């Protein structure tokens, strides 16, 4: 339930506050509809493809429509119904994160089609690779406690490809596109922060010492990244902003996600500081250097933050928290860092290529982007016939 709160209302409000007033309802609608639609997709086939036995690359259809998941069936020591519901919340927030990359300009119908196909072609296989016992990256020893690779790198790369394929917003670089209500954004950030304890500590699948350490590491990772981003922005731009500290907090949450159940608080502190500094650079300097219009910095925060976290997991993971199978560079296991690099590369390549192909086909067949007049008018009225008072 905490993880569901991250999507609605957390992510929805986080994004809604950052867009212009004429597109607020469209963003809320995109996130809310994605959550609703993909919940059904998960029940029908997503869970089976991600966690069905299958092979090294994808599950099977043995659990389609939750076949065989009854009141007595278990996943480890918890009811399988609870495990599936928990994993559903990961499945729905990952594509919902991508919305922030292409707000203000994608048509609603093609967006929903993209979300469904992407979740089955990109998310489900990569979740199987990393988290299913039969998955090939699981077998390689890739460490991803709660979704740095499966959720955040996936969403960041998918969002980057989508914003490039759809194209820049009309007036991008010339018109003022400031957030219309940062109060909503800070409320959304706060809900994300609280909900993230379910995301990370919950991934221990038990109320034990490891879950407690993941809980603590998550908070330290977010707090340190918020302060790091704030300080860097203060020095670089002369003023610390609300949007900056909120973005830093989310960057820290992203980066600590793969490491949460493998690191001690000092490792979380280092990961958070690195995420705050590097994600600030990627969401400002890198984006401007490369010229892409990632509207709400999905790649800059989730893609880059996920990569930072995944790699630093290979540095700070310690057997004192994760057991003998989860030791990194500080424990003398330098090989783990190379394993983490492999996991990142496989995810980036598969997500990037598959997302490009899907979006290209959708654009050729039905078109991705609203017309120029609708974009100028705002998607609230043009697509949904409603507006904020």
């Amino acid at each position: 339930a905490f993880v569901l709160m991250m999507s609605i209302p957390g992510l929805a409000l986080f994004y809604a506050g950052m867009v212009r007033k004429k597109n607020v309802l469209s963003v809320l609608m995109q996130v809310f509809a994605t959550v609703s639609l993909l919940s059904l997709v998960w029940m029908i086939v997503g869970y089976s493809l991600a966690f069905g036995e299958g092979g090294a690359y994808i599950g099977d259809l043995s659990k389609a429509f939750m076949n065989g998941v009854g009141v007595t069936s278990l996943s480890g020591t918890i009811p399988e119904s609870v495990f599936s519901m928990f994993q559903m919340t990961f499945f729905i927030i990952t594509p919902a994160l991508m919305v922030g990359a292409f707000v203000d300009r994608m048509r609603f119908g093609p967006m929903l089609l993209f979300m469904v196909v992407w979740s089955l072609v990109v998310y489900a296989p990569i979740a199987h690779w990393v988290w299913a016992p039969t998955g090939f990256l699981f077998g390689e020893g890739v460490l991803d406690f709660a979704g740095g690779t499966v959720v955040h790198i996936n969403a960041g790369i998918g969002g980057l490809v989508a914003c490039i394929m759809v194209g820049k917003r009309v007036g991008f670089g010339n018109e003022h596109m400031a957030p219309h209500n940062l109060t909503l954004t800070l409320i959304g950030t706060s809900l994300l922060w609280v909900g993230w304890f379910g995301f990370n500590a919950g991934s221990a699948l038990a109320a034990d010492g490891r879950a407690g350490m993941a809980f603590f590491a998550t908070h330290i990772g977010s707090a340190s990244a918020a302060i790091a981003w704030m300080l860097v922005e203060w020095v670089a731009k002369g003023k610390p902003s609300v949007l900056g500290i909120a973005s830093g907090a989310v960057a820290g949450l992203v980066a600590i996600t793969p490491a949460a159940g493998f690191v001690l608080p000092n490792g979380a502190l280092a990961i958070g500081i690195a995420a705050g500094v590097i994600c600030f650079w990627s969401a400002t300097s890198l984006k401007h250097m490369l010229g892409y219009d990632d509207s709400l910095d999905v790649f800059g925060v989730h893609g880059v933050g996920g990569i930072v976290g995944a790699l630093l997991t290979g540095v700070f993971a310690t057997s004192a928290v994760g057991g003998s199978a989860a030791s990194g560079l500080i424990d003398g296991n330098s090989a783990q860092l190379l394993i983490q690099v492999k996991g990142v590369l496989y995810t980036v390549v598969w997500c990037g290529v598959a997302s490009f192909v899907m979006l290209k086909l959708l654009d050729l067949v039905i078109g991705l982007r609203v017309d120029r007049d609708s974009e100028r008018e705002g998607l609230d009225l043009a697509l949904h016939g409603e507006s904020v008072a």
Side-chain angles (χ1 to χ4, degrees):
F2 271 121
V3 185
L4 178 61
M5 186 182 74
M6 292 170 64
S7 298
I8 49 172
L11 181 68
L13 292 175
F14 178 68
Y15 281 169
M18 287 193 281
V19 297
R20 289 167 290 177
K21 188 176 180 180
K22 64 184 179 179
N23 292 312
V24 174
L25 297 179
S26 71
V27 173
L28 293 171
M29 182 67 167
Q30 286 174 326
V31 175
F32 202 92
T34 296
V35 167
S36 303
L37 179 59
L38 293 191
S39 296
L40 304 182
V41 173
W42 180 257
M43 185 206 76
I44 293 167
V45 71
Y47 176 57
S48 194
L49 291 177
F51 290 99
E53 186 172 344
Y57 301 103
I58 191 70
D60 53 29
L61 297 178
S62 61
K63 295 182 182 292
F65 290 92
M66 305 306 291
N67 178 58
V69 179
V71 295
T72 60
S73 56
L74 298 176
S75 178
T77 59
I78 65 173
E80 189 174 7
S81 58
V82 175
F83 175 75
S84 180
M85 181 65 196
F86 180 58
Q87 289 295 336
M88 178 197 290
T89 59
F90 287 62
F91 182 75
I92 59 183
I93 197 173
T94 305
L97 288 169
M98 293 192 293
V99 165
F102 51 75
V103 293
D104 299 0
R105 57 206 193 271
M106 187 181 281
R107 294 170 57 211
F108 187 62
M111 186 277 299
L112 290 178
L113 284 173
F114 173 58
M115 294 303 192
V116 171
V117 178
W118 188 91
S119 67
L120 296 177
V121 174
V122 175
Y123 182 91
I126 292 178
H128 188 82
W129 297 355
V130 176
W131 286 334
T134 54
F136 85 99
L137 290 180
F138 184 96
E140 292 277 351
V142 170
L143 300 178
D144 185 4
F145 189 71
T149 300
V150 176
V151 175
H152 297 291
I153 296 177
N154 250 346
I157 297 300
L160 177 64
V161 173
C163 77
I164 293 171
M165 294 289 290
V166 176
K168 299 175 184 178
R169 287 167 290 179
V170 171
F172 177 73
N174 299 314
E175 296 180 11
H176 191 54
M177 297 183 177
H180 94 285
N181 190 336
L182 286 175
T183 301
L184 293 181
T185 295
L186 195 65
I187 293 170
T189 304
S190 304
L191 288 165
L192 283 165
W193 192 332
V194 175
W196 224 288
F197 295 129
F199 202 75
N200 286 1
S203 291
L205 302 179
D208 57 13
R210 191 179 187 193
M213 190 60 73
F215 197 140
F216 200 103
T218 297
H219 191 67
I220 296 302
S222 183
S224 58
I227 296 301
W229 186 305
M230 181 191 77
L231 292 175
V232 172
E233 182 183 46
W234 203 342
V235 170
K237 299 187 176 181
K239 295 179 181 178
S241 70
V242 170
L243 181 59
I245 198 169
S247 300
V250 174
L253 291 164
V254 168
I256 198 60
T257 290
F262 303 123
V263 301
L264 291 164
N266 55 1
L269 177 65
I271 291 171
I273 292 171
V277 173
I278 295 171
C279 290
F280 170 79
W281 171 79
S282 66
T284 54
S285 300
L286 179 64
K287 182 167 71 170
H288 290 137
M289 280 192 295
L290 299 181
Y292 56 85
D293 184 12
D294 177 4
S295 310
L296 308 183
D297 295 314
V298 176
F299 174 70
V301 172
H302 295 275
V304 173
I307 291 169
V308 168
L311 297 180
L312 291 183
T313 299
V315 175
F316 292 105
T318 174
S319 57
V321 179
S324 59
S327 59
L329 189 62
I330 63 167
D331 275 358
N333 180 23
S334 59
Q336 188 62 50
L337 183 56
L338 295 177
I339 293 170
Q340 296 301 106
V341 170
K342 181 185 293 186
V344 168
L345 290 176
Y346 274 114
T347 302
V348 167
V349 171
W350 177 247
C351 180
V353 172
S355 298
F356 173 82
V357 171
M358 278 180 263
L359 288 162
K360 189 66 176 178
L361 290 174
L362 280 170
D363 196 30
L364 290 172
V365 175
I366 58 176
L368 292 173
R369 188 165 181 152
V370 298
D371 61 77
R372 195 178 185 88
D373 289 341
S374 295
E375 189 171 343
R376 285 288 190 192
E377 180 184 24
L379 303 192
D380 291 2
L381 280 172
L383 298 186
H384 304 293
E386 300 169 299
S387 65
V388 177

